[in-house]
Amino acid sequence: MLPYTDAHWQAFFRISGREDMLADPRFTSLASRLAHIEHLYEELGKIVATRTSEEWLGILDEAGVPA
């Protein structure tokens, strides 16, 4: 998966059930995500592990998040 834009990340946080990350200043912009990339990827790993690749591909496609 490749959420890149702010809109992609916002959609991803919503569909993954991590709305708490929408308001977290570490993840609200490209610059802030890059500054906190290690934590973002750590959380991303936990989120992605909750579903199969097939499930994520369908969910991400529906949400318009590149995968």
Side-chain angles (χ1 to χ4, degrees), residues 8-62:
H8 291 153
W9 280 105
Q10 291 167 5
F12 175 74
F13 293 148
R14 275 190 212 93
I15 63 174
S16 66
R18 290 299 308 267
E19 290 87 357
D20 60 299
M21 295 180 79
L22 288 168
D24 190 321
R26 295 173 296 177
F27 311 123
T28 56
S29 71
L30 177 59
S32 61
R33 286 189 298 275
L34 289 174
H36 299 95
I37 197 75
E38 289 181 23
H39 184 70
L40 177 62
Y41 282 171
E42 180 181 328
E43 292 301 312
L44 186 60
K46 293 175 190 175
I47 294 167
V48 172
T50 65
R51 297 181 179 165
T52 67
S53 295
E54 184 177 342
E55 289 171 318
W56 277 119
L57 287 172
I59 292 166
L60 293 167
D61 184 52
E62 286 180 29

